[in-house]
Amino acid sequence: MITYRIDVADVHAHLYRVTLTVPQPAPEQVLSLPVWIPGSYMVREFGRHLSEVQARQGRTPVPLQQRDKTSWIARPEGRGALTLSYLVYAFDTSVRTAFLNASRGFFNNTSLCLRVEGREAEPHRIELGALPRGWEVATAMPADGPRAFVAADYDELVDHPFELGSFWRGRFEVAGVPHEFVVAGAWPGFDGDRLLTDTRRICEAQVAFWHGPQGQPPYERYVFMLNTVEEGYGGLEHRASTALIANRRDLPRPGVAAASDGYVTLLGLISHEFFHTWNVKRLKPAPFAQFDYTRENYTELLWFFEGFTSYYDDQFLLRAGLIDAPRYLKLIGKTVNGVLAGPGRKVQSVAQASFDAWVKYYRADENTPNATVSYYTKGSLVAMALDLTLRAEARGSLDDVMRALWAASDGGPVDEAAILAALQSVGRRSYADELAAWVHGTDDLPLQPLLERAGVAVKPEPAGWSAALGLRLSEGALSGVQVRQVLRGSAAERAGVSAGDELLAVDGWRIRRLDDAQQWVGAGLPFELLLARDQRLHTVRVVPEATPAATLLLSPADKPAKSAAALRRAWLGC
């Protein structure tokens, strides 16, 4: 069996030592580290963190040639076991790579475990060496002895992250299947019982959604791994676990009944990553049926796999009774306004954005909102538009489409034709025109009439002054007002404001927050803006738009028509 021994080599230098044993190696054995991790669509070059790579057979050194940035060739003598040893630098707190310090360890095996090319289909085993005093281990990989774990193949090996350290741990069951939640870095005294109860309600609702009230989930055990930090947010799905990062202040507190916005955001993240258990880990784009770990794996379907998951994440907070309909509509309104505020939505379709994720979404810069659209947010609105269309036509719902797609594909790879076929099966008509316009086009979605038809009032309200001027800023008492992004076609762009500028004064008055200037600048009137750029001062004249920018406020309509009221009850439960 291919075996990796992983030792905590030096917590202060943030180093793991990996010892890989390959029985019966090939005469020219190629070994390579992935350049990306499934679920995070960017080439991250994990191999740059490897050092001191050495090979031997017994006590005999084996020639080892580095072939490229991420692969090596070993030339052993005979079929005796080949052993490689190397160090891995691990100091990335994200969910995508590896981390190690004196209080915590975490790793994805894409960062630590070289792939033995030609042997990927064989069982792989991980053995953990001695850990610092008081440290525990959390992973969904099946145990194979004390601190030993086994995977059926390399794909499974790299789909099980590990959490190490002294962390909080809680457990619950769903449909008789054990679920575990571990939390690292939390303040003392957070409400762990509430976190478990709320997470269990989400899991129960999603398992029943996919498999019915008596159904079983497609795993034997599931682990949530949450790392709480001062500032952070994100998650990465795996076949039987998820790695999460969130603000520690967003954890629930004992005796506080109301769910804070931060806690609702955390629950939405938990819901999102758990829904991926089905929608991307099993249902998946056809090109992901067999991963190529050496390069980008392209698909135009992230609008479905990430976008539809983004629609259902907050939906399940509503269905599980963790938020009410007005709060849910507030979350939708935030998404709608975020999409409408980005000029890039008129430049790039969500299908194109999916394909370009490797070079655009994960490499955001000052021009990102002008050049691309998020397949998460607009994809979620495509899902909502399809759901409301199906419901309005009294032909089922998007729930039925998701389950039909699961059944037709046997929970496996799909393409856009399969999605269209599932839509047609449920809706009893073709939805090719909708997908052509909403997924492959760049026009805005017909959200307002769809929402109003569902008994939801859509009201415009003025946007914040900075947003109306086309500016996205970083503001603080110490850092001043820094321009992060300038939106295409905006008043700020016409005035000559650029990303990286520091805004100093408006009409001669020093500012620490740009919106403060509304106290002396007349509504809609031009003003002089003093800014610093490359150590030089510039004054520009800003002429606001004749029609100020607006955002949309969504709320349940007071007296909807009878048909709208029925649709709203079915959709929102109110």
Side-chain angles (χ1 to χ4, degrees):
M1 185 181 296
I2 294 169
T3 301
Y4 304 83
R5 179 183 170 89
I6 298 175
D7 289 288
V8 174
D10 190 329
V11 295
H12 302 301
H14 318 294
L15 293 173
Y16 292 103
R17 177 167 292 282
V18 181
T19 305
L20 165 60
T21 302
V22 183
Q24 297 183 324
E28 290 195 348
Q29 182 62 66
V30 179
L31 306 111
S32 63
L33 199 67
V35 302
W36 70 291
I37 181 170
S40 184
Y41 307 105
M42 177 177 166
V43 171
R44 297 184 183 276
E45 313 291 15
F46 301 128
R48 63 196 172 101
H49 294 305
L50 270 60
S51 62
E52 299 185 21
V53 184
Q54 299 175 345
R56 57 184 170 80
Q57 281 180 300
R59 297 182 179 180
T60 304
V62 172
L64 194 63
Q65 175 189 351
Q66 186 163 0
R67 185 174 64 170
D68 54 34
K69 61 186 178 182
T70 193
S71 68
W72 291 259
I73 300 177
R75 295 182 172 85
E77 294 289 338
R79 301 289 280 174
L82 172 68
T83 301
L84 277 86
S85 175
Y86 51 93
L87 294 174
V88 181
Y89 177 73
F91 202 54
D92 183 343
T93 58
S94 79
V95 297
R96 298 176 293 263
T97 53
F99 179 82
L100 180 65
N101 68 6
S103 60
R104 174 179 178 260
F106 172 83
F107 58 85
N108 287 288
N109 290 313
T110 42
S111 292
L112 267 64
C113 295
L114 286 168
R115 180 166 57 101
V116 183
E117 297 197 6
R119 308 277 293 276
E120 294 91 343
E122 298 179 21
H124 288 60
R125 176 183 169 93
I126 283 184
E127 298 173 352
L128 295 178
L131 299 176
R133 184 185 301 273
W135 278 28
E136 297 181 70
V137 181
T139 183
M141 188 180 291
D144 191 41
R147 290 204 304 271
F149 309 86
V150 66
D153 52 34
Y154 188 80
D155 283 343
E156 182 181 349
L157 177 86
V158 299
D159 212 7
H160 288 298
F162 281 70
E163 178 76 31
L164 312 175
S166 178
F167 43 71
W168 179 90
R169 172 177 262 155
R171 296 178 175 89
F172 59 90
E173 287 192 356
V174 174
V177 176
H179 292 64
E180 187 172 78
F181 208 126
V182 301
V183 182
W187 286 328
F190 78 93
D191 194 342
D193 288 341
R194 181 174 183 180
L195 179 64
L196 290 179
T197 297
D198 293 347
T199 301
R200 177 178 52 78
R201 290 165 67 177
I202 292 168
C203 295
E204 287 174 341
Q206 292 193 17
V207 170
F209 171 89
W210 288 103
H211 304 292
Q214 305 302 319
Q216 293 289 302
Y219 50 79
E220 296 182 356
R221 179 170 164 268
Y222 194 93
V223 181
F224 295 91
M225 305 175 202
L226 172 61
N227 179 34
T228 58
V229 294
E230 183 177 1
E231 294 287 343
Y233 176 83
L236 189 62
E237 68 277 359
H238 298 277
R239 66 182 62 192
S241 62
T242 182
L244 309 165
I245 186 169
N247 303 328
R248 56 175 61 94
R249 64 179 175 275
D250 292 339
L251 287 168
R253 309 301 301 174
V256 180
S260 67
D261 288 346
Y263 183 49
V264 170
T265 298
L266 172 58
L267 291 176
L269 177 65
I270 291 167
S271 180
H272 182 100
E273 301 304 334
F274 190 64
F275 196 79
H276 272 317
T277 305
W278 295 268
N279 197 39
V280 90
K281 295 312 298 184
R282 286 158 176 93
L283 276 180
K284 63 181 66 176
F288 291 1
Q290 181 61 58
F291 291 123
D292 183 345
Y293 294 105
T294 69
R295 59 184 296 277
E296 297 89 343
N297 290 222
Y298 292 101
T299 176
E300 287 191 346
L301 290 179
L302 296 182
W303 59 269
F304 179 84
F305 290 99
E306 290 293 353
F308 281 40
T309 300
S310 296
Y311 172 62
Y312 275 109
D313 53 20
D314 290 335
Q315 261 281 318
F316 277 104
L317 302 190
L318 178 68
R319 297 181 190 193
L322 300 173
I323 59 174
D324 59 16
R327 194 164 196 176
Y328 175 67
L329 290 176
K330 184 178 178 181
L331 294 171
I332 293 178
K334 182 179 179 181
T335 300
V336 171
N337 290 322
V339 172
L340 293 179
R345 77 188 194 283
K346 295 290 189 180
V347 175
Q348 190 179 51
S349 71
V350 283
Q352 293 171 321
S354 300
F355 193 85
D356 283 342
W358 297 90
V359 293
K360 291 191 175 181
Y361 184 82
Y362 285 95
R363 292 179 176 173
D365 59 25
E366 68 282 349
N367 192 49
T368 292
N370 299 319
T372 189
V373 66
S374 168
Y375 49 79
Y376 283 88
T377 53
K378 188 175 179 182
S380 74
L381 298 182
V382 170
M384 183 178 72
L386 286 169
D387 196 11
L388 294 179
T389 299
L390 287 160
R391 292 175 185 272
E393 294 174 354
R395 293 177 176 175
S397 69
L398 193 63
D399 297 5
D400 302 309
V401 173
M402 300 301 289
R403 288 189 287 262
L405 192 62
W406 177 269
S409 68
D410 196 23
V414 299
D415 55 18
E416 188 169 317
I419 297 169
L420 275 169
L423 282 164
Q424 184 163 347
S425 173
V426 172
R428 302 190 301 280
R429 71 169 177 87
S430 172
Y431 289 82
D433 289 345
E434 281 84 354
L435 261 61
W438 301 349
V439 172
H440 297 279
T442 57
D443 290 341
D444 289 334
L445 303 175
L447 297 178
Q448 184 161 344
L450 287 169
L451 287 164
E452 290 174 346
R453 196 173 177 182
V456 174
V458 182
K459 301 175 182 178
E461 61 177 7
W465 201 43
S466 300
L469 296 173
L471 290 170
R472 296 183 177 178
L473 307 171
S474 296
E475 297 178 315
L478 297 178
S479 61
V481 184
Q482 305 286 338
V483 177
R484 292 188 295 110
Q485 295 166 329
V486 180
L487 301 186
R488 186 68 42 80
S490 65
E493 185 186 59
R494 289 195 301 273
V497 181
S498 296
D501 290 349
E502 180 184 3
L503 307 187
L504 302 174
V506 172
D507 284 345
W509 287 87
R510 184 76 167 95
I511 56 170
R512 290 295 184 187
R513 292 180 66 256
L514 181 60
D515 285 356
D516 290 345
Q518 289 181 283
Q519 298 180 61
W520 64 84
V521 175
L525 296 180
F527 58 89
E528 301 295 316
L529 178 63
L530 177 67
L531 57 86
R533 180 186 301 157
D534 193 25
Q535 295 188 306
R536 301 186 67 181
L537 299 181
H538 303 266
T539 299
V540 299
R541 188 169 187 265
V542 182
V543 181
E545 299 280 356
T547 303
T551 60
L552 299 180
L553 181 66
L554 309 184
S555 63
D558 292 334
K559 295 180 180 180
K562 185 176 181 180
S563 60
L567 198 164
R568 191 176 76 192
R569 279 194 301 273
W571 183 45
L572 300 179
C574 71

